[in-house]
Amino acid sequence: MVEVLTGTFTVKAGHAQMLKGGVIMDVVNVEQAKIAEEAGAVAVMALERVPADIRADGGVARMTDPQIICDIMDVVSIPVMAKVRIGHFVEAQILESLGIDYIDESEVLTPADETHHIWKHDYQVPFVCGCRNLGEALRRISEGAAMIRTKGEAGTGDVVEAVRHMRTVQDAIRKLENMPEDELVVEARDMRVSLDLLIKTKEMGRMPVVNFAAGGVATPADAALMMQLGADGVFVGSGIFKSGDPASRAHAIVQSVTHYQDAKILAEVSKNLGEPMVGISAKSIPEDELLATRSQ
Amino acid sequence: MEVGVLAVQGDFAEHIAVLSKLGVKAREVRLPEHLESLGGLIIPGGESTTLSRLMTLYNLREPLQKMAVEGRAVWGTCAGMIMISQEITENDPVPLGIMDIGVQRNAFGRQVDSFEQRLDIKAMGSDPFHAIFIRAPVIIRVGNDVEVLCALDDDRPVAVQQGNLMATSFHPELTNDYRFHSYFLELANGNSNGHSCGNGSS
């Protein structure tokens, strides 16, 4: 009998590689999930509330009702993801038991542990985690994350934080590529990451796992901007279903990620999309209400 | 000779990286005009519904079908295999109908059921091939002119060839083993090594 291996890091990270060049859309019900699939989303993130509503409602944001997640898994054939609170490993066990395709250990929900993230190696299901810089990303990968996304500032419709985080990551990788070997030990210590993973990143010249952009993407131009800055794909949260014409906008953002370097196509798909989500400037948010700073 | 990799979505960069290690510069194909004068095309892994919609929207279906009929090499991996099949078990996505096979999507279950396994594939030589299956499809019908290169222990085919056409359920582009890519380049060069059969062989 040939050995069959499941739940390996290769199949976890490999799944994210299949999502590259694609758009993952936040949805809160079956109807939205169908719209997302029809528009060409590569996956959906099943939520109870989109980040803009979580932000507006306040209170504690938790894992979505499993019934909603199961209903969405039943109606679409594309992968279904869902969020757990940072450090809430029981929420993760529950989602894994549902057969979810990817778990987002997300700062958008209220953290359950202010010190420790989930030890993600223990799971068959792969995890994606947010980051604001390379050190944060590599720490999450050490814990077992098979995919990374920028945090951005979710639920704002303001792309500025996603741009900042993507540029910060890419800048650190460029610096690393030119760094002599004898400086790597100190760099690893300063970044609080393992030397091995830092060397691997240097050798690859890129984030060692797939890296999507997230947090504030609201238009086809935003999505293409993130792609040109080096994202492997894009998460769109509130940007689609908080806009005037979700189906058209979803469709347009999918095309903008494929044709991110073709300004003529970007112009074409940006036409007549109706009102984008209203949005709030990330700068106007008080420090203690920022989501991105919720974990290190 | 130049080959292309369909780059509308999926792990096209991984295929291009392997081809580059084999000394072949590959072209990213997003629009019909990018197909011009290509010796062969790889349709990568990705989400088949996404690939299907973008191929329709940017008028890629007809030129891809024409390419296969003209005897140029086409290889689909995973979602790519779904796209080049004759039919699938669902109504959506709509495959290109290039290769005489029937395919079932997500045949092994969800992501937690994705797996790695070493397979013996005679056409690739005596060393087993490390195959990575991710939410993988499987072939459930094989036409008369289709040769099964590899099947699982339960006899379900996971790698097939029909003349200039090839399909794999798994992802050689995620490994450091370039035998499938070399084999594809031979097909694209018109040296199919005696493994081609039936119509369409060049």
Side-chain angles (χ1 to χ4, degrees):
Chain A
M1 193 64 200
V2 187
E3 194 182 14
V4 176
L5 301 168
T6 59
T8 61
F9 194 76
T10 300
V11 298
K12 291 174 178 176
H15 184 199
Q17 286 171 280
M18 299 311 134
L19 303 173
K20 285 168 73 175
V23 183
I24 300 168
M25 301 182 192
D26 280 3
V27 299
V28 301
N29 56 42
V30 164
E31 290 69 35
Q32 290 185 358
K34 285 185 188 162
I35 290 171
E37 182 174 50
E38 191 51 46
V42 290
V44 291
M45 178 76 70
L47 293 169
E48 232 164 71
R49 294 172 291 171
V50 293
D53 289 335
I54 290 174
R55 191 177 281 289
D57 294 352
V60 177
R62 310 177 178 91
M63 175 187 81
T64 298
D65 182 336
Q67 186 62 54
I68 296 177
I69 296 170
C70 290
D71 289 346
I72 290 170
M73 285 167 63
D74 283 344
V75 297
V76 294
S77 68
I78 57 178
V80 179
M81 304 182 167
K83 290 185 194 290
V84 299
R85 284 177 268 177
I86 288 170
H88 205 315
F89 53 85
V90 173
E91 285 186 348
Q93 292 164 7
I94 291 170
L95 288 187
E96 182 177 53
S97 81
L98 300 179
I100 199 93
D101 295 297
Y102 237 96
I103 292 176
D104 184 0
E105 186 182 21
S106 177
E107 71 285 356
V108 171
L109 305 184
T110 310
D113 191 322
E114 291 184 333
T115 313
H116 304 290
H117 280 70
I118 298 171
W119 184 250
K120 294 166 273 284
H121 292 290
D122 283 350
Y123 294 75
Q124 289 275 314
V125 61
F127 283 75
V128 55
C129 288
C131 79
R132 289 166 299 159
N133 53 53
L134 184 61
E136 205 174 344
L138 298 184
R139 287 193 291 280
R140 297 294 87 77
I141 294 168
S142 291
E143 297 155 1
M147 179 178 182
I148 292 292
R149 56 173 174 75
T150 57
K151 285 179 171 174
E153 190 56 32
T156 60
D158 186 349
V159 80
V160 66
E161 292 301 308
V163 168
R164 188 193 319 280
H165 300 157
M166 188 58 73
R167 279 202 187 272
T168 304
V169 164
Q170 301 293 47
D171 200 44
I173 291 170
R174 282 189 291 266
K175 188 177 150 211
L176 196 56
E177 280 187 285
N178 294 314
M179 190 173 284
E181 265 75 18
D182 58 2
E183 293 180 11
L184 290 174
V185 173
V186 171
E187 181 73 359
R189 189 193 64 198
D190 290 349
M191 286 172 79
R192 293 183 289 133
V193 301
S194 89
L195 180 61
D196 285 350
L197 198 49
L198 197 68
I199 290 171
K200 189 180 174 194
T201 307
K202 179 177 165 65
E203 283 169 359
M204 290 175 77
R206 58 154 290 143
M207 183 77 79
V209 299
V210 167
N211 182 25
F212 269 44
V217 174
T219 68
D222 288 349
L225 173 68
M226 297 315 299
M227 292 298 289
Q228 289 197 26
L229 286 172
D232 292 320
V234 173
F235 281 88
V236 187
S238 319
I240 289 172
F241 290 100
K242 282 286 164 189
S243 75
D245 183 355
S248 300
R249 186 164 295 266
H251 205 222
I253 293 178
V254 166
Q255 294 172 65
S256 73
V257 168
T258 296
H259 298 285
Y260 68 95
Q261 291 163 309
D262 190 328
K264 284 205 171 91
I265 291 180
L266 294 176
E268 207 49 48
V269 303
S270 299
K271 288 176 182 167
N272 303 313
L273 296 181
E275 285 295 307
M277 74 177 281
V278 177
I280 42 172
S281 159
K283 260 214 167 81
S284 70
I285 300 170
E287 196 96 342
D288 61 342
E289 288 177 25
L290 289 171
L291 302 178
T293 53
R294 277 175 160 176
S295 68
Q296 300 294 318
Chain B
M1 192 228 9
E2 201 177 359
V3 295
V5 181
L6 189 73
V8 299
Q9 191 271 317
D11 71 335
F12 52 88
E14 283 77 352
H15 275 291
I16 290 168
V18 174
L19 292 168
S20 142
K21 282 180 183 144
L22 292 170
V24 176
K25 195 176 175 310
R27 192 190 302 167
E28 294 184 2
V29 173
R30 292 184 174 82
L31 296 168
E33 55 261 38
H34 301 156
L35 288 166
E36 204 172 308
S37 73
L38 287 180
L41 180 83
I42 298 174
I43 305 180
E47 266 310 308
S48 51
T49 50
T50 306
L51 295 179
S52 170
R53 283 159 185 52
L54 288 163
M55 280 180 184
T56 303
L57 209 54
Y58 288 89
N59 304 313
L60 281 158
R61 287 180 176 271
E62 216 175 296
L64 285 181
Q65 286 157 343
K66 190 162 158 261
M67 201 172 167
V69 170
E70 286 171 356
R72 289 190 274 169
V74 181
W75 172 25
T77 57
C78 194
M81 176 170 103
I82 295 169
M83 288 316 299
I84 71 170
S85 71
Q86 189 66 49
E87 79 275 344
I88 65 169
T89 48
E90 301 149 281
N91 296 324
D92 182 39
V94 179
L96 292 164
I98 289 174
M99 195 174 189
D100 194 10
I101 52 173
V103 169
Q104 183 189 353
R105 296 169 70 213
N106 301 333
F108 301 93
R110 304 195 72 98
Q111 169 58 22
V112 290
D113 306 302
S114 293
F115 63 99
E116 308 177 50
Q117 180 180 345
R118 289 171 81 78
L119 298 172
D120 287 315
I121 307 174
K122 213 181 277 174
M124 299 301 141
S126 53
D127 287 342
F129 195 91
H130 188 89
I132 299 164
F133 294 80
I134 295 168
R135 285 171 47 97
V138 74
I139 297 157
I140 52 170
R141 185 190 64 78
V142 176
N144 288 334
D145 296 329
V146 176
E147 182 187 4
V148 176
L149 299 177
C150 177
L152 297 176
D153 290 344
D154 59 11
D155 292 333
R156 289 189 288 179
V158 289
V160 291
Q161 185 185 345
Q162 179 184 6
N164 54 313
L165 310 172
M166 186 162 74
T168 52
S169 296
F170 50 90
H171 294 282
E173 75 279 13
L174 297 185
T175 69
N176 294 319
D177 188 337
Y178 306 148
R179 284 177 287 169
F180 265 95
H181 287 83
S182 300
Y183 192 85
F184 165 74
L185 289 173
E186 282 180 26
L187 288 182
N189 276 318
N191 315 314
S192 52
N193 223 2
H195 288 289
S196 64
C197 49
N199 65 359
S201 63
S202 45

